[in-house]
C-alpha cells in the first residue's frame, strides 16, 4: 500500500507493505542491515518500504518494542511515518 494507513504522500516509486512472517531470506537480510540490533527471530510484525526493488526502510515490532530505520538518502520524505502507520494498521 503506497502511503500506509496515514494517507501520507510518498515519492512515486516508494511503496510500503506488510510482508508475511517469517520474513523471506532476502527481506530478512535487508531489514537486518537497516536494524542490526533487532532480533529478527522475535519479529511479531513488520512493515517495509521498497523502492526500485530494494528495501529502503523497515519498521519491526518485537516484544521489546518497535524499531524503525530508513536508508540515509530516503530520510525526511515521509517514509518513517508511512512505515509506522502501516505497522499500526491491523494486518489482514
Amino acid at each position: 500500500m503506497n502511503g500506509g494507513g496515514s494517507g501520507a504522500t510518498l515519492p512515486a516509486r516508494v511503496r510500503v507493505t506488510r510482508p508475511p512472517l517469517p520474513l523471506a531470506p532476502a527481506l530478512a537480510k535487508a531489514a537486518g542491515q537497516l536494524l542490526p540490533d533487532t532480533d529478527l527471530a522475535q519479529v511479531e510484525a513488520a512493515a517495509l518500504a521498497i523502492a526500485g526493488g530494494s528495501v529502503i526502510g523497515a519498521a519491526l515490532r518485537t516484544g521489546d518494542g518497535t524499531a524503525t530505520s530508513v536508508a540515509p538518502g530516503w530520510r525526511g520524505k515521509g517514509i518513517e511515518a508511512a512505515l509506522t502507520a502501516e505497522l499500526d494498521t491491523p494486518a489482514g
Side-chain angles (χ1 to χ4, degrees):
M1 167 184 289
N2 192 14
S6 69
T9 301
L10 295 173
R13 54 186 215 161
V14 176
R15 67 184 174 91
V16 174
T17 186
R18 291 274 301 264
L21 297 177
L23 293 173
L27 297 178
K29 180 179 178 184
Q33 290 173 338
L34 287 165
L35 294 163
D37 294 332
T38 301
D39 181 358
L40 297 178
Q42 302 301 316
V43 172
E44 299 170 354
L48 301 177
I50 300 170
S54 297
V55 176
I56 54 126
L60 304 176
R61 181 177 298 133
T62 66
D64 293 332
T66 301
T68 303
S69 180
V70 174
W74 291 95
R75 293 180 186 153
K77 300 179 188 313
I79 297 168
E80 297 91 338
L83 285 166
T84 300
E86 186 68 25
L87 197 61
D88 291 341
T89 300

